[in-house]
Amino acid sequence: MASACSIRVRGVVQGVGFRPYVYRLARANTLAGWVLNGEEGVEIYLEGAEPGLQAFVQDLRTQPPPAASIAEIEIRSAFPVGLNEFTIRDSQHQHRPTVRISPDLPVCDACLKELFDPIDPRYWYPYINCTNCGPRYTVVLGLPYDRPNTTMQHWPLDEYCDAEYQDPGNRRFHAQPVACPNCGPSYCLHSADGDLNGSEASIRKAALLLSQGRILAVKGLGGYHLACDARNPLVVAALRERKYRKEKPFALMARDIDIARSLVDLSEKAASLLTSTARPIVLAPAKMKLAGVAPDNSELGVMLPYTPLHHLLFAAGAPEVLVMTSANRSSEPIAYEDDEALSRLSGIADAFLIGQRPIARRVDDSVVRAGAFGPAILRRSRGYAPGAVAAFPNKRPILAVGADLKNTVTLVVDGQAFVSQHIGDLADYQSLRAFQETVQDLISMYEVRPDELLVVHDSHPQYVSTAHAVALGIPQLLAVQHHRAHVASVLAERGEWETRVAGVSFDGTGYGDDGSIWGGEVFVGSVSEGFERVAHLRTASLAGGDAAAQHPVQAAAGFLAQIEGLPDLTAPPFLFPERYRQALELVRKGIRTFDTTSVGRLFDAAAALLGFTREVTFEGQAAMWLEQLARSAPGALPYEFPFLGNELDFRPLLRSIIVDRLNGRDPREIARAFQRGLAEGVSDAIATICEVEKLKIVVLSGGVFQNELLLEDLKGLLENEGLQMWTNHAVPPNDGGISLGQAALAAFGQSDRNARGELCTNSRSQ
Ligand SMILES: [Zn+2]
Ligand SMILES: [Zn+2]
């Protein structure tokens, strides 16, 4: 006698070959029924003999398709209706779609084999893909995920592709972006010498130009890259000059993992990140110097080819290590539209390798590191976005608009938190446009009505993101304090809503409850009850406010003004420039200064004393420089960083640096003693707080915790105290994680009740 059941599968289950997989599995177990893409996931109805049903469910649980990520399988028994065969039914679209859109996938081995097989119809075709691989988020225009809702809508399938698309036994069954050279888009090469058409000819010429030392703009999955030979110092220097990018490291693409291993020291964990389906840029210790690629940096960022086009470029003889950097000038977001790329990059690229398939939205490469606590995501974008990162306990739709730097936005729909790709610095006009597009994109994709939304923003009244949140005109508006959002982001990832923790939030800049610039805060509490600030870095003055982040000596002035017997730092060995003296004047007179507890700025002050006296050219540069200096030291005893009352006093730390510098001590040892001292002081403070509050768990978040050496030191120290540490894994510890934390606190009504309308202009000097 036949049995029957209905199954609903939630998670990343659409656009990843799930229906053909279900079809084959049902047939293999002689089951009748159907499968379809519903709005909450994949819906399956099965009938047949009981052992067949059980075997089906067993395989579904243990051997899903490689690109799928199952969040939940719901099985209900049903009454057999007497079907004779198994079919794939049309997609359903009635209510709000809550299905997850798959992130983009790297080209699979089966497609690669065909790509280089001379008798295959898709031989050398740069848009080859199947249900196991290829573009997803970067081609989706709407849900459900079907071809008319993708950027492939203008390329009707020919007979060959259609036959594969219709065949449930084929790897390309309902592969929405499927195409071949006969019916699909192609690549061309545009340069001052004229245009070259035809994918193969264009790609071969592009590879030749790269090996001749030219700079190419290459259209990829989520935008344009600027590519050049990483081993050619002249072209790398030319790229820096044309892109107005002075020192920020360039990402590299290595032809294969062996080449990657020759560039960087790849741990097993780093290698598995490098080859993971997200194919991110992995930061790892450099094994060789590549002039101009990552100046003053002991790490290199490396990724592997992920599109068929990348593989073809290398096969055509492109240099085996390429600089592959987002195509933009300085802080602008990645260019992704052809006209925009041609105009914005005309003075940078010698030639353009342009593919016809439009890009639905800009998605940068992601950046990760195999850290002391597991994988750390520093930029979450291609391969990860727009995956859900957390399951919320309540169903209210929430839009959290993040912070102004490293912006991301989070949309919570039906309890699933979707975090957008990295958007960037909202001070830039192009980024602001990208921000607005992303907000609209998410709201319309998940069909959320604006009037049911709760909108959450940072409590900084002058943030661009705050202004945009207000401008949406949605009455349900909440502000969440920046550093509480950092701590909440870690807990949201883990679904820990009630757990009380000590939350350490260290970063560069954030608007505090009292209107001053916070960035060295310790909280106690939980997401559901909120976080109370229990300790912080001793308050310093910051001449010029946030602008001081550009100039370590300017940031240093307000900290150093509190040191008794301060020597003249414009003299050797410090040689601070004139800007320092001006800043010190402002601090002493109390003009245009702001109170701050920023640990990021404390790092800047220490870096300045150690010799980083110039302007920074990218965010966090001085702190990274200091960390690398400390890493190169053989070892050093920690400086004092006492915790008294509820303050961590930075004065002994800075005093020690000055004394040791005057005594001619090796700057590497001084940097190490500073970092170690910082870790010990923080560890003592946390241990004290945890004992008083009876806490066992410590949360670390904020941009400062991108410093791996600090994490490694803290790990050892806190474990000795019997404390457990939680850090970010799904979203970045930097401001890229703020939107998730905002959403979490807002979901529990934890808004910022102390937010004030203006930035504090306290001019007290100390
Ligand atoms: Zn494939
Ligand atoms: Zn075709």
Side-chain angles (χ1 to χ4, degrees):
M1 179 164 153
S3 304
C5 67
S6 297
I7 302 175
R8 176 177 287 164
V9 190
R10 291 193 177 90
V12 179
V13 289
Q14 294 193 11
V16 288
F18 213 91
R19 288 174 304 167
Y21 159 84
V22 167
Y23 176 89
R24 288 192 292 271
L25 197 57
R27 304 255 295 210
N29 289 298
T30 17
L31 299 171
W34 47 259
V35 57
L36 61 79
N37 276 343
E39 275 149 5
E40 289 184 48
V42 166
E43 309 276 346
I44 307 165
Y45 171 80
L46 296 170
E47 58 182 63
E50 191 59 41
L53 288 173
Q54 280 173 14
F56 180 97
V57 171
Q58 169 76 10
D59 279 358
L60 182 67
R61 285 191 198 282
T62 55
Q63 292 167 337
S69 164
I70 295 178
E72 191 187 352
I73 299 176
E74 195 182 304
I75 305 173
R76 278 160 294 136
S77 59
F79 192 75
V81 292
L83 298 178
N84 303 318
E85 54 171 6
F86 194 89
T87 54
I88 294 178
R89 293 194 173 170
D90 287 340
S91 302
Q92 266 182 355
H93 187 75
Q94 288 155 358
H95 309 291
R96 174 155 66 213
T98 56
V99 69
R100 301 180 189 181
I101 301 165
S102 165
D104 298 294
L105 300 165
V107 59
C108 72
D109 289 345
C111 284
L112 269 183
K113 204 160 161 253
E114 294 175 359
L115 185 65
F116 292 109
D117 178 357
I119 59 161
D120 191 276
R122 295 189 186 85
Y123 177 62
W124 262 77
Y125 184 55
Y127 287 115
I128 190 169
N129 66 81
C130 72
T131 50
N132 298 322
C133 75
R136 295 294 185 274
Y137 187 45
T138 54
V139 296
V140 174
L141 298 171
L143 287 174
Y145 177 64
D146 281 329
R147 191 168 179 103
N149 284 333
T150 71
T151 60
M152 287 297 291
Q153 61 193 354
H154 301 303
W155 283 277
L157 298 176
D158 63 0
E159 219 170 291
Y160 178 77
C161 287
D162 193 53
E164 289 189 318
Y165 184 88
Q166 303 290 353
D167 175 7
N170 192 287
R171 206 171 85 246
R172 296 200 170 85
F173 176 74
H174 285 202
Q176 306 306 343
V178 73
C180 74
N182 182 47
C183 67
S186 62
Y187 266 81
C188 69
L189 188 79
H190 171 82
S191 71
D193 303 337
D195 288 358
L196 187 62
N197 288 318
S199 298
E200 184 171 349
S202 308
I203 294 166
R204 288 194 187 280
K205 182 70 194 282
L208 182 69
L209 290 173
L210 286 167
S211 59
Q212 289 172 343
R214 303 295 188 84
I215 297 170
L216 261 72
V218 178
K219 187 172 177 182
L221 264 184
Y224 276 80
H225 280 115
L226 285 164
C228 71
D229 183 355
R231 288 174 171 156
N232 178 339
L234 291 177
V235 70
V236 174
L239 179 58
R240 285 211 177 271
E241 198 174 304
R242 294 188 206 172
K243 203 171 135 84
Y244 303 122
R245 181 145 150 171
K246 286 186 194 151
E247 294 169 302
K248 194 174 179 187
F250 284 138
L252 300 174
M253 182 176 279
R255 191 187 65 196
D256 53 45
I257 192 153
D258 291 333
I259 301 290
R261 283 187 199 285
S262 73
L263 298 170
V264 291
D265 199 353
L266 269 189
S267 66
E268 208 173 300
K269 283 174 182 155
S272 74
L273 283 170
L274 192 67
T275 54
S276 66
T277 54
R279 287 289 197 283
I281 296 166
V282 177
L283 300 180
K287 274 164 99 172
M288 61 164 69
K289 279 252 177 293
L290 291 171
V293 168
D296 279 342
N297 206 311
S298 63
E299 286 185 321
L300 287 174
V302 182
M303 63 183 149
L304 293 176
Y306 53 88
T307 66
L309 177 74
H310 299 147
H311 288 275
L312 290 171
L313 276 171
F314 286 117
E320 56 194 20
V321 186
L322 292 173
V323 165
M324 274 289 214
T325 182
S326 299
N328 54 14
R329 281 181 202 273
S330 202
S331 66
E332 295 172 359
I334 189 167
Y336 76 113
E337 289 160 326
D338 301 334
D339 294 348
E340 178 204 7
L342 282 168
S343 70
R344 275 168 64 193
L345 307 174
S346 59
I348 303 179
D350 298 311
F352 291 77
L353 186 57
I354 305 174
Q356 290 175 318
R357 186 178 71 205
I359 297 171
R361 59 187 60 73
R362 58 182 103 226
V363 185
D364 264 296
D365 294 313
S366 296
V367 181
V368 306
R369 180 192 274 140
F373 294 90
I377 299 188
L378 306 180
R379 181 166 76 198
R380 185 180 173 280
S381 232
R382 179 187 50 75
Y384 298 106
V389 296
F392 277 43
N394 32 26
K395 300 277 177 194
R396 170 109 201 240
I398 299 171
L399 174 71
V401 298
D404 274 15
L405 287 176
K406 296 187 164 64
N407 179 269
T408 62
V409 299
T410 292
L411 181 70
V412 184
V413 191
D414 287 338
Q416 295 183 56
F418 302 97
V419 179
S420 78
Q421 68 276 29
H422 164 84
I423 294 168
D425 178 358
L426 298 188
D428 177 83
Y429 169 73
Q430 295 281 353
S431 306
L432 184 59
R433 217 189 94 199
F435 168 83
Q436 289 163 338
E437 284 167 2
T438 306
V439 168
Q440 280 315 316
D441 213 22
L442 283 171
I443 292 179
S444 63
M445 189 113 48
Y446 289 101
E447 297 182 2
V448 180
R449 289 198 326 270
D451 61 320
E452 55 183 343
L453 264 183
L454 173 63
V455 177
V456 200
H457 60 84
D458 192 277
S459 47
H460 199 313
Q462 284 155 7
Y463 262 7
V464 176
S465 52
T466 300
H468 187 70
V470 172
L472 287 172
I474 293 166
Q476 303 294 325
L477 204 61
L478 278 186
V480 164
Q481 199 278 324
H482 193 95
H483 300 98
R484 291 186 177 90
H486 271 310
V487 173
S489 72
V490 174
L491 296 165
E493 280 185 18
R494 308 174 80 106
E496 298 278 355
W497 314 108
E498 315 290 339
T499 310
R500 289 185 84 241
V501 300
V504 184
S505 192
F506 286 179
D507 72 354
T509 296
Y511 188 81
D513 289 352
D514 55 6
S516 71
I517 300 171
W518 283 11
E521 321 309 314
V522 184
F523 300 95
V524 166
S526 67
V527 175
S528 64
E529 75 179 39
F531 293 104
E532 190 193 342
R533 185 195 196 212
V534 296
H536 56 85
L537 183 70
R538 179 185 169 84
T539 305
S541 294
L542 203 53
D546 289 356
Q550 289 296 113
H551 302 277
V553 294
Q554 186 175 334
F559 287 82
L560 295 169
Q562 296 190 34
I563 307 286
E564 279 171 40
L566 185 68
D568 176 12
L569 296 176
T570 60
F574 304 102
L575 296 172
F576 277 17
E578 182 56 23
R579 176 178 285 274
Y580 161 72
R581 216 195 296 263
Q582 292 161 359
L584 203 56
E585 273 299 298
L586 292 180
V587 171
R588 289 192 167 141
K589 289 184 180 156
I591 305 166
R592 283 198 292 125
T593 60
F594 302 83
D595 280 355
T596 188
T597 52
S598 166
V599 173
R601 296 295 84 80
L602 174 62
F603 265 91
D604 287 351
L609 289 172
L610 281 160
F612 199 109
T613 54
R614 57 205 164 95
E615 188 179 352
V616 302
T617 59
F618 58 93
E619 196 204 350
Q621 185 182 11
M624 280 170 64
W625 177 87
L626 190 151
E627 181 193 352
Q628 307 215 348
L629 196 64
R631 267 192 190 283
S632 60
L637 291 174
Y639 291 146
E640 286 278 299
F641 186 34
F643 180 59
L644 295 167
N646 62 348
E647 277 188 3
L648 278 156
D649 188 350
F650 58 78
R651 291 174 301 180
L653 273 177
L654 296 181
R655 207 180 289 128
S656 304
I657 299 181
I658 293 168
V659 169
D660 279 356
R661 279 283 274 160
L662 288 170
N663 287 334
R665 192 177 179 194
D666 183 342
R668 296 176 304 169
E669 283 182 28
I670 300 177
R672 189 71 192 90
F674 168 79
Q675 281 240 180
R676 184 70 194 180
L678 194 90
E680 296 208 351
V682 171
S683 164
D684 287 348
I686 295 170
T688 307
I689 291 164
C690 285
E691 197 184 324
V692 173
E693 301 279 343
K694 298 186 174 54
L695 300 170
K696 283 278 159 224
I697 293 157
V698 181
V699 165
L700 308 173
S701 191
V704 166
F705 293 109
Q706 295 172 104
N707 184 323
E708 273 295 312
L709 185 59
L710 180 60
L711 284 179
E712 286 163 23
D713 281 350
L714 279 172
K715 185 175 190 214
L717 291 164
L718 293 174
E719 275 171 4
N720 273 344
E721 303 282 350
L723 297 168
Q724 205 184 333
M725 274 147 299
W726 289 352
T727 57
N728 292 103
H729 296 298
V731 297
N734 59 45
D735 284 3
I738 286 283
S739 63
L740 178 66
Q742 289 173 340
L745 285 167
F748 286 88
Q750 295 298 340
S751 73
D752 179 11
R753 293 178 206 93
N754 302 315
R756 292 211 314 223
E758 60 194 49
L759 195 67
C760 174
T761 48
N762 191 331
S763 56
R764 177 167 43 101
S765 72
Q766 299 177 25

